[in-house]
Amino acid sequence: VFFLNLPQAASDDLVGLVEDVRDRLRPRPVAVLDAPEEVRAKLDVWGERDQGVVGLMQRIKERFDPQDLCNPGRSFGAA
């Protein structure tokens, strides 16, 4: 697990930095935990999603939270 603190910069520059980090660390996942709204709007905070993993996580969520009470509408598989 890595935590990076990116410098103050324009939103387009920050998006570019995140994409660069993802390219360098691929195939390891890189998720954005906190960023200004304008940055979050320009990139997928979860990064690339393996559809097999997404399906598994959705089945686990359905099994243990069938009424969708825990973080309704928010999940790793949501686009």
Side-chain angles (χ1 to χ4, degrees):
V1 174
F2 296 94
F3 290 93
L4 303 174
N5 186 9
L6 299 177
Q8 294 269 336
S11 62
D12 287 337
D13 293 338
L14 291 174
V15 170
L17 285 170
V18 170
E19 290 171 348
D20 184 51
V21 169
R22 285 180 171 163
D23 287 343
R24 291 172 185 256
L25 294 177
R26 190 168 280 117
R28 295 167 200 88
V30 176
V32 175
L33 301 179
D34 187 28
E37 189 58 40
E38 55 273 9
V39 173
R40 296 173 68 85
K42 293 179 181 182
L43 57 81
D44 183 344
V45 296
W46 290 107
E48 293 179 21
R49 299 175 220 185
D50 178 310
Q51 291 307 305
V53 172
V54 170
L56 173 63
M57 292 179 74
Q58 288 172 335
R59 290 191 303 276
I60 291 170
K61 169 102 167 101
E62 290 166 3
R63 174 74 180 233
F64 290 99
D65 185 19
Q67 295 177 337
D68 198 27
L69 299 174
C70 181
N71 290 323
R74 295 185 62 163
S75 71
F76 176 78

